[in-house]
Amino acid sequence: MDRRDFIASLGAATVASHLPMWAADAPVSSSRITLLHTNDTHSHIEPFGPGNGPISGLGGVARRATLVRQLRQQLGSVLLLDAGDTFQGTPYFNRYKGRLDYQLMRRLGYDAGTLGNHDFDNGVAMLVEAMESMEQLKHPNPPFAFVNCNFDFKGTPTLGRRVQPYLIREFPGIRVGITGVGVAFAGLVTPKNHEGLTWKDPYESLQPVVKRLREVEKADLVVVLSHLGYDMKGTAPDDLLMPGQVAGIDAIIGGHSHTFLDAPTRVPQVKGETLIFQVGFGGVNLGRMDFAVARGAIRSASGSSMPVLG
Ligand SMILES: [Zn+2]
């Protein structure tokens, strides 16, 4: 063996002997998932016209569809979610009673949504009709799911069987649990429009569901679609107080208060943190939160609000 071969063999031996240690020290390869989300779209099928201040020219379902399609192609593991109040706000709602909104959401490939107060504006029967029209649409995308854990549907079985307390979606290396909560009806929905439905405390309703998602369903990422509002200043349960009341939530996708946030609000938890996000209303923005998960724990989380432009 000449000197060069000797050094080469030494190098190889050194590399080999260090390999197991390097492998252990190497960063764990993480799996990534992106949550795309809207809230309070309020039947804004078309972009906002001129004269709407800072939101003039923004929004529109067709442009949102393009943005979502581009992001799905780029990112791979994507969930498209909505935090409620799909109904009410333009002549499209008066004409189509929410059927158009839900059908378009299915065409865009929404995975799940929750119910806001305005989704009851025409009563339970009309809400169910809009859901049925979305289910019956002939389209390659499956019907999207409705999630809520704080409404008691005992008196409205036709609606109850269309809303599930939570949903599990599996991606390579990540299990995502998604649940939802709605705002109290008092003062927002007339009693005849929510006949058969009872509202329950959202925090108390979430606690066992989130625990189940973590411990039984083994979700790596727990997401709450919330139509409670961002900051109700202590007058009602809200998104800002939720992380202190319910442990184990990674992301709250909010609605109801039409709050424009540029990036998620981060609330530290005993273990990890909760990201709270809401992107205004009317579909002018698309929210985006990215999570990297490795060995069942979240390694990084970030987010931004993306304007829906032409
Ligand atoms: Zn709203």
Side-chain angles (χ1 to χ4, degrees):
M1 191 184 279
D2 69 15
R3 188 184 143 80
R4 202 168 43 194
D5 286 347
F6 174 70
I7 289 168
S9 73
L10 194 73
T14 309
V15 167
S17 72
H18 278 81
L19 246 181
M21 208 174 84
W22 286 359
D25 290 350
V28 181
S29 73
S30 55
S31 305
R32 300 186 157 272
I33 182 151
T34 301
L35 311 178
L36 300 178
H37 54 95
T38 49
N39 59 277
D40 302 276
T41 49
H42 285 297
S43 294
H44 283 278
I45 310 295
E46 293 178 48
F48 282 83
N52 281 292
I55 62 167
S56 299
L58 291 177
V61 173
R63 290 157 164 192
R64 195 196 316 157
T66 305
L67 189 54
V68 167
R69 196 182 322 115
Q70 287 167 348
L71 289 164
R72 274 190 205 273
Q73 280 166 1
Q74 272 174 34
L75 299 163
S77 295
V78 169
L79 277 167
L80 180 58
L81 305 164
D82 183 82
D85 268 8
T86 305
F87 293 1
Q88 196 67 269
T90 72
Y92 283 105
F93 179 69
N94 306 336
R95 175 80 174 84
Y96 297 106
K97 319 275 187 237
R99 296 189 301 272
L100 178 63
D101 299 280
Y102 282 166
Q103 287 179 16
L104 287 171
M105 283 172 74
R106 180 171 170 187
R107 286 176 188 276
L108 259 66
Y110 272 82
D111 295 280
T114 198
L115 296 169
N117 48 301
H118 282 295
D119 301 317
F120 293 93
D121 278 3
N122 282 333
V124 170
M126 287 294 277
L127 171 59
V128 169
E129 242 184 82
M131 290 172 166
E132 266 176 339
S133 84
M134 182 273 288
E135 292 159 12
Q136 288 160 4
L137 184 74
K138 300 251 181 297
H139 195 272
N141 291 339
F144 64 92
F146 291 91
V147 287
N148 174 286
C149 71
N150 76 318
F151 293 156
D152 185 334
F153 295 95
K154 270 194 206 84
T156 55
T158 52
L159 180 58
R161 68 168 172 267
R162 291 182 161 84
V163 184
Q164 52 201 83
Y166 67 82
L167 174 76
I168 295 284
R169 291 295 301 270
E170 185 117 37
F171 294 89
I174 305 180
R175 268 171 82 78
V176 186
I178 308 154
T179 183
V181 281
V183 68
F185 296 124
L188 292 173
V189 181
T190 59
K192 74 167 175 47
N193 282 348
H194 66 88
E195 213 177 329
L197 267 157
T198 327
W199 181 87
K200 298 182 293 176
D201 182 86
Y203 302 149
E204 280 171 27
S205 305
L206 277 168
Q207 282 154 3
V209 173
V210 172
K211 196 171 150 67
R212 187 183 167 84
L213 288 172
R214 287 269 170 223
E215 293 172 11
V216 181
E217 300 287 358
K218 307 287 180 201
D220 303 303
L221 187 74
V222 172
V223 182
V224 176
L225 308 181
S226 162
H227 202 83
L228 300 181
Y230 181 71
D231 181 5
M232 302 307 283
K233 313 276 183 207
T235 61
D238 64 24
D239 297 347
L240 269 184
L241 297 177
M242 194 187 292
Q245 298 291 319
V246 187
I249 301 169
D250 299 303
I252 300 169
I253 293 174
H256 189 55
S257 49
H258 297 196
T259 307
F260 284 86
L261 298 174
D262 294 327
T265 302
R266 293 168 182 269
V267 181
Q269 288 260 23
V270 177
K271 213 178 142 197
E273 59 178 356
T274 306
L275 268 61
I276 308 171
F277 209 7
Q278 189 174 155
V279 291
F281 80 105
V284 301
N285 295 310
L286 182 68
R288 170 178 176 173
M289 284 191 271
D290 299 279
F291 293 88
V293 176
R295 293 198 184 124
I298 291 165
R299 303 288 156 164
S300 73
S302 60
S304 61
S305 174
M306 294 174 290
V308 176
L309 293 158

